[in-house]
Amino acid sequence: MLTSQTVWSQLTLVGNYILESPLRIGNGTTGTVLDSEGRPYIPGSTFRGALRAYLESMLRVVHTPQHDTPQTVTLRGSDGRPVSVTRMVTLCCDSVDKRDDDLNYQGCLTKAIVAKWEADPLLRPILAEALVNNSCQVCRLFGASWLAGRVFVADLPVINSEWRGGFHTRGGLTLSRDRDVAIEGSRYERQAVPSGTAFTFQLVAQNVTPAEQGMILLGLRAFESGMVLLGADRARGFGRGHLAIDWWNCRYVDGDHLIDALLGAETQPFTEVEAEARLNAFVAQLGKSYASPHL
């Protein structure tokens, strides 16, 4: 929750996402998601979900016990007296072990834990603070069922000048592994946005620390290098592309300049140099060193 003491900020990153192979995002076997005017777009939730999934996989690799942070909450015990409970909070959730009904899960929160805390009269007055402090770093940034996210990705509309109005169509057959012949009725056809098409990208991060900004930027580095694929049929070569951030038009606004920005003053530019500083802050938080490729 924001208070008068909260440091407010908003980071806006913009650019283009350019397809290097056909992209298929939509419902059904031939569908491609379209806007009201029949033009393709990439749902912001698709890009944001892929960014979150990449960051979680990366953080699981670098995680060590030193990254675990103990958090203590006071609950009402079975005898009605206050009981202190210490939990370990880590960098991200474990996608294998985490279950919604687990009351003893460590590293983040589950729906069962949150429901129990919501019903606890001792914790209820500071419930919001407890939910934030006991959520993993990724959930605090991207949100959970009990926690609002602070990273927003707008739908990526197609750039009209980069789209010729047609779709790529690819067909095929499913082969029997035993007989090495086509399975009857297995013919399929896929419709996709053709390679070379470009989309407009915008990400907004509110009230995030320099280290959290660095985490976001590190995830976007994977999109810049084409490491993250989007959409369906990725195993068939679809969904490859790369992000090109337009540093000239990226902006950062903090609390000291908020009123000026709302009154129409030019907002602060956010440059590659500042991005490197944010990356350094995040890597330092992980206890590692970082040598910028731009130095």
Side-chain angles (χ1 to χ4, degrees):
M1 297 176 61
L2 290 178
T3 69
S4 59
Q5 305 301 318
T6 300
V7 178
W8 184 91
S9 68
Q10 177 171 292
L11 171 65
T12 303
L13 302 174
V14 298
N16 294 333
Y17 185 78
I18 303 98
L19 298 183
E20 298 175 354
S21 71
L23 172 70
R24 196 174 79 82
I25 296 179
N27 297 321
T29 57
T30 61
T32 300
V33 62
L34 305 173
D35 63 16
S36 60
E37 298 183 12
R39 297 172 299 192
Y41 70 95
I42 300 175
S45 57
T46 296
F47 194 102
R48 182 177 180 273
L51 174 61
R52 177 174 184 159
Y54 174 81
L55 285 172
E56 287 179 328
S57 64
M58 181 268 295
L59 290 175
R60 291 189 193 106
V61 172
V62 301
H63 172 264
T64 66
Q66 286 70 34
H67 295 125
D68 296 339
T69 303
Q71 293 286 344
T72 301
V73 295
T74 301
L75 305 173
R76 184 175 65 178
S78 57
D79 58 358
R81 298 180 179 180
V83 176
S84 294
V85 177
T86 299
R87 297 182 48 80
M88 298 303 296
V89 181
T90 188
L91 298 175
C92 65
C93 299
D94 189 319
S95 61
V96 176
D97 294 339
K98 186 173 183 179
R99 301 192 319 273
D100 286 340
D101 61 349
D102 190 347
L103 276 169
N104 300 308
Y105 179 77
Q106 298 293 313
C108 193
L109 298 175
T110 65
K111 289 183 179 179
I113 296 172
V114 174
K116 180 180 178 180
W117 287 10
E118 288 175 338
D120 192 290
L122 291 181
L123 189 60
R124 192 179 302 124
I126 57 168
L127 179 63
E129 180 182 354
L131 293 179
V132 172
N133 293 339
N134 287 273
S135 295
C136 73
Q137 190 163 339
V138 172
C139 285
R140 288 200 301 268
L141 191 57
F142 286 88
S145 301
W146 52 87
L147 199 63
R150 291 174 289 145
V151 178
F152 312 94
V153 178
D155 289 342
L156 284 69
V158 70
I159 299 175
N160 290 332
S161 61
E162 300 294 330
W163 185 55
R164 296 183 290 275
F167 293 93
H168 171 90
T169 301
R170 182 185 298 180
L173 297 169
T174 302
L175 298 179
S176 169
R177 294 182 179 179
D178 297 327
R179 296 181 297 155
D180 199 27
V181 297
I183 298 175
E184 184 177 355
S186 66
R187 182 175 180 82
Y188 65 87
E189 191 174 83
R190 301 285 190 261
Q191 184 184 69
V193 183
S195 60
T197 305
F199 299 83
T200 300
F201 166 79
Q202 182 186 70
L203 179 148
V204 176
Q206 291 187 339
N207 305 323
V208 293
T209 66
E212 289 173 328
Q213 293 173 30
M215 185 201 301
I216 296 169
L217 290 162
L218 187 60
L220 293 179
R221 284 280 176 93
F223 284 86
E224 289 181 290
S225 61
M227 294 174 60
V228 181
L229 306 183
L230 296 178
D233 288 332
R234 296 187 295 273
R236 292 187 170 98
F238 287 78
R240 193 170 63 253
H242 70 273
L243 176 66
I245 296 180
D246 179 8
W247 293 107
W248 287 100
N249 291 302
C250 294
R251 294 291 182 266
Y252 180 75
V253 181
D254 57 26
D256 293 337
H257 299 85
L258 174 59
I259 299 301
D260 292 337
L262 293 176
L263 293 176
E266 186 174 354
T267 53
Q268 304 162 243
F270 187 81
T271 65
E272 285 187 272
V273 173
E274 291 170 301
E276 295 292 340
R278 303 313 199 265
L279 284 167
N280 272 308
F282 175 61
V283 174
Q285 178 180 291
L286 295 177
K288 299 181 180 295
S289 59
Y290 169 63
S292 170
H294 302 291
L295 297 180

